[in-house]
Amino acid sequence: MKEKRSAKVFAAAQQIGKSLFLPIAVLPFAGILLGIGSSFTNPTVIETYGLSGVLHQGTILYAFLQLLNGAGSAIFGNLPLVFALAVALGMAKKEKGVAVLSSGLFYIVMLTTINILLQLDGSIVDGEIAEGVKNGAIASMLGIQTLQMGVFGGIIAGLFTAYLCDRFYKQKLPAALSFFAGTRFVPIVSILFAVLTGILMYFVWPVLQNGIFALGGLVMNSGYAGTFIFGCIERALIPFGLHHIFYIPFWQTGLGGTAIIDGVQVAGAQNIFFAELASPNTTHFSVEATRFLTGKYPFMMGGLPGAALAMYTCAKPEKKKEAGSLLISVALTTFLTGITEPIEFTFLFLAPALFVIHVLLAGTAFVTCHVLNICIGTTFSDGLIDFVLFGVLPGQAKTNWLMMLPVFVVFFIVYFLIFRFFIIKWDLKTPGREDEGEEMKLMSKAEYQKATGVGAANSASPSHFDPKSAAILQGIGGLNNVTVIDCCATRLRLTLNDGNAVNEPLLKATGAKGVVKKGNAIQVIYGPQVTVIKSDFEEYVEYLRKHPEEAKEAEQTVASKYAGAAEMAEQSAKKHSSVEKGSMVSAAAGKVLPMNQAKDEAFASCMMGEGVVIEPSNGKVVAPVDGEVSVVMEGTNHAVGLHIADGFDILIHIGIDTVSLNGEGFHAHVTVGQKVKAGELLVDFDKKLVESKGLCPDVMVIVLDDEGTPVIEYKTGMKAEAGKTVVAEW
């Protein structure tokens, strides 16, 4: 039990680390923009490199560089929001797009909730931070003054929303609220939880913030020992994929120090560096901040290329050429970009003891840069690109980058000697030393995890057989026939490779009220609960694509459950056996259009039901069927409801937003409870008055979605005569 629990915790931590990697991966490009833009608009750099002739206020090049600087700053200035969206994307198991949208809403509402509470307690008065509030405790994020939570605020929003999405994306609601069920419920519940989380953070965060600053002070006061431990732990977590979780708090929160730059308090090592980079007043970058950033340069640009050379010199003579091309490639990758995975995981697998030595040398590299006051920032990984942008370009006075050159040489030699010694001593099968017949290759992270089990979460999953989804899949022609899965308010919308492969009786046997085919695009009408059906179906298709061996078994199960298409058609027909065949005539004279062409989204999305839209040529609206008047909109007369003897209801809605006229120009000729015949006048209205008010006079005839509603075929795209032209049949 304990092992299972720890495996779950590890899997969750690994997934969080993976999610953090996405926003981290954006930083290199943002850093390039900021590095180039801020360096070449900085007066000191311009003067140092003699560029004042081409770079000064008013030139196009200078303006362009300012744009680059602004673009980079915008990303670094809004990292919490970036983390909120990315963590939700990475952590949500299903409906990731919904999770991302909900996370953005969650984050904004959470910040706003805290802002209101800070105003209520007097911490913020008329947009100004009150005296007595601890310096740096409140900051502006997305224009909202709130507690300074940094990227933790974004991570909290992302984690909460991912959980809510996985928990509620199939949520079912009562029929009256079914439009808001499924994926549409996730943003709603996220907003509610955001308010609660904002209230919680208002009380909890100040305590956590004090703890973070205290822990940061402890790390800072531990001097070189703290730097060494940081460097060792950062590398030691690489095999588990948890290093992002470890260093992000140092880079982005008060754990990595605080500084006042141009009158603004900045928290986090990376944030401090980039604020100093953008400031024209910086004379030397902060040693205390860059101690958490610079230490990877020595082993990435010096040490690991030395290890690659050691592997090459130890290769068998007949394999040296092949080994050389392979190792030169990874050495250059490490040197230029700081991507070390291929070489690190190779010796981690072959000789874990070598990796332990590498971890200790990494800690030493961090301390070396700290001792020598080398202050070079980074966005993601310490390769040549970052070294030039954040070491060379800002200038020797700010970064002390020249001192790094002999450090590169020393680490290159140390790694070369140590690796060569142990490769020979332990007869390690590094590239070029394999036994006869073995393939020469480097070990990837995935291969390492597969071979050792280290850092690999248990991902075994049970069978995902879902009878309804399986029947739908078989009804549309099988796994290879479906290409796009989507839905609107009431319909499952699918794009197929072959529209002729559709089995309508089978689809109707799954509860569909109708099937609309348009070439290779089909619409299966389920009603407002379609969002849940769509999510189930999407998951089922995704699962079968990963486990195609189960597809045949699923087909057989469906065949036994639904014994023949004729029987299925009979089952479907029984659902509406009480509804006799009938038809509906046009409620007004004019052009008849399908409901999805209504000029209002509430009607066009068919959230209330299917129907037709009539562009009226006059102001007469008649009953489209025989029935009993169930509703006449009191005071406005712009809508009439009819109950049909067969057991379903129709709503006739005259105009869009005509409720705002408060009945002006509308006259009802019927009352609630009155029985009417098709073609009998219901309402007359002043069409010219409606149009003069800037409103649309279109008449919407909606067959309200209900269990008793039959499958209806609508006839559109024609001119109709009120009370005579048939526009629908069932």
Side-chain angles (χ1 to χ4, degrees), residues 259-471:
I260 304 293
I261 302 166
D262 296 337
V264 178
Q265 181 166 4
V266 182
Q270 191 179 59
N271 293 332
I272 291 171
F273 174 80
F274 281 112
E276 290 179 334
L277 180 66
S279 172
N281 302 314
T282 302
T283 55
H284 194 284
F285 293 125
S286 168
V287 176
E288 287 303 313
T290 54
R291 64 191 279 200
F292 302 114
L293 305 174
T294 313
K296 290 192 283 189
Y297 284 107
F299 65 83
M300 286 186 172
M301 293 181 66
L304 291 176
L309 180 63
M311 292 180 189
Y312 170 72
T313 60
C314 294
K316 295 176 181 179
E318 66 274 16
K319 293 188 175 182
K320 261 190 179 346
K321 187 175 180 182
E322 188 181 353
S325 61
L326 190 66
L327 291 165
I328 286 172
S329 171
V330 297
L332 278 175
T333 300
T334 300
F335 181 79
L336 293 173
T337 67
I339 296 172
T340 60
E341 178 182 300
I343 192 167
E344 279 185 318
F345 278 93
T346 294
F347 64 74
L348 174 62
F349 179 74
L350 294 172
L354 266 183
F355 188 77
V356 173
I357 294 170
H358 172 54
V359 166
L360 296 173
L361 288 173
T364 306
F366 274 87
V367 172
T368 301
C369 295
H370 189 180
V371 170
L372 297 176
N373 290 338
I374 304 173
C375 301
I376 305 172
T378 182
T379 55
F380 162 61
S381 225
D382 301 30
L384 180 64
I385 297 170
D386 275 14
F387 181 74
V388 172
L389 282 174
F390 309 121
V392 179
L393 287 181
Q396 167 67 11
K398 291 183 181 179
T399 65
N400 195 22
W401 68 271
L402 287 172
M403 185 59 72
M404 185 68 88
L405 301 182
V407 173
F408 286 156
V409 175
V410 170
F411 272 81
F412 181 89
I413 294 171
V414 168
Y415 269 77
F416 173 79
L417 294 176
I418 289 175
F419 272 70
R420 181 175 169 79
F421 173 78
F422 284 109
I423 288 170
I424 294 172
K425 180 178 176 63
W426 294 336
D427 190 24
L428 300 177
K429 302 302 180 185
T430 51
R433 292 175 60 83
E434 300 85 3
D435 293 332
E436 200 65 40
E438 283 188 8
E439 181 188 0
M440 182 187 299
K441 66 174 184 177
L442 295 165
M443 180 71 65
S444 70
K445 182 177 181 179
E447 289 170 322
Y448 169 78
Q449 290 180 339
K450 184 178 178 181
T452 64
V454 175
N458 184 1
S459 60
S461 59
S463 173
H464 282 56
F465 180 73
D466 172 16
K468 185 175 221 173
S469 296

Side-chain angles (χ1 to χ4, degrees), residues 468-479 481 494 496 498-508 510 515 517 522 524 526 537 555 558 562 568:
K468 185 175 221 173
S469 296
I472 293 171
L473 186 60
Q474 194 166 327
I476 61 172
L479 192 62
N481 199 35
L494 306 168
L496 310 178
D498 180 9
N500 295 320
V502 172
N503 181 339
E504 287 192 41
L506 179 53
L507 290 175
K508 289 176 182 176
T510 66
V515 179
K517 288 198 294 183
I522 73 160
V524 190
Y526 284 107
F537 183 61
E555 285 180 18
V558 170
Y562 300 100
M568 285 178 253

